[in-house]
């Protein structure tokens, strides 16, 4: 016998996927993964996490707050660097366990702590059987 | 006294962030988060996870494999739907705990199991104090 879930499971799934209720699903650590893209270029800048308080503050202020897993603290991105991220749009995925933040970046427009515009500055290339990293040149900044 | 880490910690961090060695960091569950974008439009299609075997098979075949956390199995995306994802580029972030996959989508070009092109088909809008979801119209498909 295969257990396929009750009708109410199917209804709950349908509401989650098709409904208009925002019900972000935080994981066992109370976090939700966030993909941050630059509104002007659409480029993926970084991946980070929010807890409920970070999400609440992001909505309340329009400025992106994350939860730093390494420092274990709330983190208003750009507080020290000036590279504040202003929310232009927040999207949620089908099962509401991931957020897509479209932002404008303040300061010098760099989102990565290494001084690059995006954290994804290296691509993987195969050299024989070995996977190596090669840095991708930075495109010019699109002003918003 | 503040413990700031040994010089060898700093060296290891520098190698991870600036080096050419691909050293993906899998989490306690053996997974790494993957952001999948459509190569033609740059749009974020979905967020999923890979374990080491999924990553190995993705490199070996050029077709994206994920690890399904809900089904607890390796998952060659598109196996049943035909919406196979062909790898065009794989990037890694600064601390190598997230992957960015740029793909071409096969079949009807839809990446989401709900029948949409992307899993991020709803944006959050504030109605008074309440956050609600509104569906974003799908743009026309860009042929690759």
């Amino acid at each position: 016998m295969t257990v396929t879930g009750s009708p109410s499971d199917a209804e709950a799934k349908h509401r989650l996927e098709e409904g208009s209720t925002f019900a972000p699903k935080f994981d066992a650590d109370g976090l939700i993964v966030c993909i941050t893209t630059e509104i002007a270029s659409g480029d993926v800048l970084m991946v980070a996490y929010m807890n409920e308080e970070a999400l609440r503050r992001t909505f309340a202020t329009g400025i992106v707050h994350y939860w730093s897993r390494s420092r274990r603290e709330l983190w208003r991105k750009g507080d020290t660097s000036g590279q504040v991220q202003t929310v232009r749009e927040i999207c949620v995925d089908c099962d509401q366990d991931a957020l897509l933040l479209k932002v404008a970046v303040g300061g010098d427009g760099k989102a990565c702590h290494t001084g690059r515009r995006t954290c994804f500055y290296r691509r993987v290339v195969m050299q024989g059987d070995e996977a190596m990293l090669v840095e991708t040149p930075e495109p010019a900044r699109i002003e918003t």
Side-chain angles (χ1 to χ4, degrees), chain A:
Chain A
M1 183 182 132
T2 308
V3 178
T4 54
S6 66
S8 62
D9 285 346
E11 282 165 24
K13 187 169 183 290
H14 188 264
R15 273 200 304 275
L16 195 69
E17 294 179 350
E18 302 295 335
S20 60
T21 303
F22 181 47
K25 196 159 49 176
F26 296 92
D27 68 13
D29 296 321
L31 302 179
I32 191 167
V33 65
C34 304
I35 317 314
T36 306
T37 64
E38 187 181 47
I39 187 82
S41 63
D43 290 345
V44 177
L45 298 178
M46 57 185 284
V47 173
Y49 296 82
M50 284 186 184
N51 62 4
E52 204 162 354
E53 176 65 10
L55 183 58
R56 198 192 61 73
R57 291 201 193 185
T58 299
F59 277 121
T61 63
I63 301 296
V64 180
H65 291 66
Y66 299 107
W67 174 259
S68 168
R69 297 182 303 169
S70 57
R71 296 193 306 271
R72 303 197 58 75
E73 65 182 21
L74 204 69
W75 163 41
R76 183 178 178 274
K77 173 77 180 165
D79 245 357
T80 52
S81 66
Q83 294 140 1
V84 166
Q85 298 179 344
T86 304
V87 175
R88 295 293 181 86
E89 192 170 295
I90 297 181
C91 298
V92 65
D93 75 344
C94 43
D95 56 357
Q96 303 207 35
D97 66 356
L99 299 176
L100 173 60
L101 314 173
K102 302 180 184 179
V103 306
V105 182
D108 60 7
K110 296 182 192 304
C112 183
H113 75 285
T114 65
R116 278 94 165 184
R117 197 175 62 85
T118 161
C119 294
F120 293 94
Y121 50 86
R122 291 172 296 183
R123 63 185 192 281
V124 185
V125 295
M126 295 304 291
Q127 293 187 347
D129 283 346
E130 202 175 1
M132 302 292 289
L133 299 180
V134 172
E135 186 153 352
T136 306
E138 300 240 304
R141 185 181 182 191
I142 300 172
E143 294 295 333
T144 49

